Amino acid sequence: MIKRDQIPAVLDHPVLDEGGKKIGEAKHVFLDDVTGAPEWVSVKTGMFGTSETFVPIREARVVDGHTEVPYSKSKVKDAPHVDVDGGGHLSEEEEHRLYDYYGMDWDASWSRANQPGEGGWAHGDGQGAAGAAGMAGAAGAEAPGRQDDAMTRSEERMRVGVERREAGRVRLRKYVVTEDEERTVPLRHEEVRVEREPITDDNRDAALSGPEISEAEHEVVLHEERPVVETEAVPVERVRLTAEEHTEQETVRGQVRKERIESSAEEAREDRGGMGPERP
């Protein structure tokens, strides 16, 4: 349990969940109006601390400059929204929603607040005595934006990063197609031709070598060439995929909030046309 003297060690220090993960920074501590003990702490969450959620600190503990609460980070971030600027107190309805969300016994707390001599529920302003926690200001918390009579001006910075993600996939696929090809080749063939020659002194002996009158046959075989097509598979090239990285310039636009500080004295000088303060 967090005690009142530990509040300065809680404010503006990290709040860790049950697993040791940082939830955010503690900004306000709310006290029980009856016991005066710390009841709730508001935690700034989100990337730039733009959200503020409530978490019970009855079972919290301060360890080495941070506060540990027995809840998960997601549990705290999803807690019901409560307006911390609502006068420094939680309304009965707001506190009841928080009790229900964190599984706390609302009836037991209400009964404790209404014990004789402990003070009852302050119905007039809608504040609960048991948990209508008042914001801890006297315990070391200063007004936001002020320190040592000086006002702090803050502004948001835009941070732009990059993330690597899958943009698509390319595959190599091999398949077979059939194409028609033409080749021209010379083909030879034989044709029969009848040659007749007269009897001369050179061929007379060959012509008279056989019988004078007879029947005979003589056969000549003719030949021709025909095209024969054969195929063979031969490697022709190697194909692979490689990824090339290209850098492109892209302009990212966002909105950031900046605080401006104006002085009423400066406004008065502007109204007088930029002249210095009037002398009596």
Side-chain angles (χ1 to χ4, degrees):
M1 177 180 292
I2 304 297
K3 299 179 181 179
R4 287 181 64 100
D5 58 0
Q6 293 178 300
I7 292 178
V10 175
L11 293 172
D12 298 322
H13 286 76
V15 178
L16 276 57
D17 70 356
E18 58 188 0
K21 296 180 180 179
K22 182 179 177 181
I23 302 174
E25 299 286 336
K27 290 303 176 185
H28 302 98
V29 173
F30 286 72
L31 308 178
D32 188 307
D33 282 353
V34 176
T35 65
E39 185 82 3
W40 303 92
V41 61
S42 65
V43 184
K44 284 282 189 178
T45 60
M47 181 176 297
F48 300 106
T50 55
S51 301
E52 192 166 357
T53 54
F54 277 68
V55 59
I57 54 174
R58 287 183 182 177
E59 301 178 10
R61 61 190 186 125
V62 177
V63 181
D64 296 333
H66 65 265
T67 303
E68 297 179 356
V69 296
Y71 302 98
S72 66
K73 182 176 181 178
S74 59
K75 180 75 173 178
V76 176
K77 291 179 67 175
D78 294 338
H81 174 73
V82 175
D83 184 9
V84 296
D85 296 327
H89 280 77
L90 301 180
S91 67
E92 178 182 350
E93 179 183 355
E94 290 172 337
E95 192 173 17
H96 202 164
R97 285 192 292 122
L98 290 172
Y99 265 75
D100 290 342
Y101 178 77
Y102 284 105
M104 300 167 63
D105 191 345
W106 170 261
D107 293 333
S109 179
W110 189 91
S111 299
R112 185 187 68 213
N114 285 274
Q115 293 294 328
E118 294 290 342
W121 198 274
H123 295 286
D125 58 1
Q127 310 299 330
M135 188 181 298
E142 298 180 286
R146 295 187 60 86
Q147 183 176 359
D148 298 335
D149 294 331
M151 183 175 294
T152 300
R153 186 179 70 85
S154 303
E155 63 183 29
E156 296 177 340
R157 303 291 188 186
M158 186 171 70
R159 300 175 183 174
V160 180
V162 295
E163 65 174 356
R164 189 178 182 89
R165 62 183 181 88
E166 183 177 305
R169 296 191 179 188
V170 179
R171 295 183 177 89
L172 281 179
R173 182 171 63 91
K174 184 170 70 173
Y175 58 97
V176 178
V177 297
T178 301
E179 298 179 349
D180 294 331
E181 290 190 3
E182 292 184 356
R183 296 285 190 277
T184 300
V185 296
L187 299 176
R188 295 177 301 175
H189 68 279
E190 296 176 342
E191 295 181 355
V192 67
R193 186 178 64 180
V194 178
E195 295 181 354
R196 300 175 185 270
E197 59 181 14
I199 301 300
T200 63
D201 292 339
D202 293 334
N203 62 15
R204 184 178 297 275
D205 292 340
L208 298 177
S209 62
E212 295 182 358
I213 301 297
S214 64
E215 293 182 356
E217 290 183 357
H218 185 72
E219 183 180 77
V220 176
V221 179
L222 302 176
H223 297 85
E224 67 179 3
E225 294 178 339
R226 291 184 178 180
V228 178
V229 178
E230 295 180 353
T231 61
E232 63 173 337
V234 294
V236 292
E237 67 176 348
R238 297 279 291 169
V239 181
R240 65 172 55 88
L241 288 176
T242 59
E244 297 181 351
E245 188 172 278
H246 298 269
T247 301
E248 299 178 353
Q249 301 295 329
E250 182 172 337
T251 302
V252 180
R253 292 182 173 86
Q255 293 183 338
V256 295
R257 297 179 301 170
K258 298 182 179 181
E259 296 177 342
R260 295 289 185 262
I261 298 177
E262 296 180 351
S263 168
S264 58
E266 293 176 348
E267 294 177 356
R269 283 197 297 269
E270 291 178 358
D271 292 341
R272 290 193 296 269
M275 299 178 62
E278 295 181 355
R279 296 184 178 181

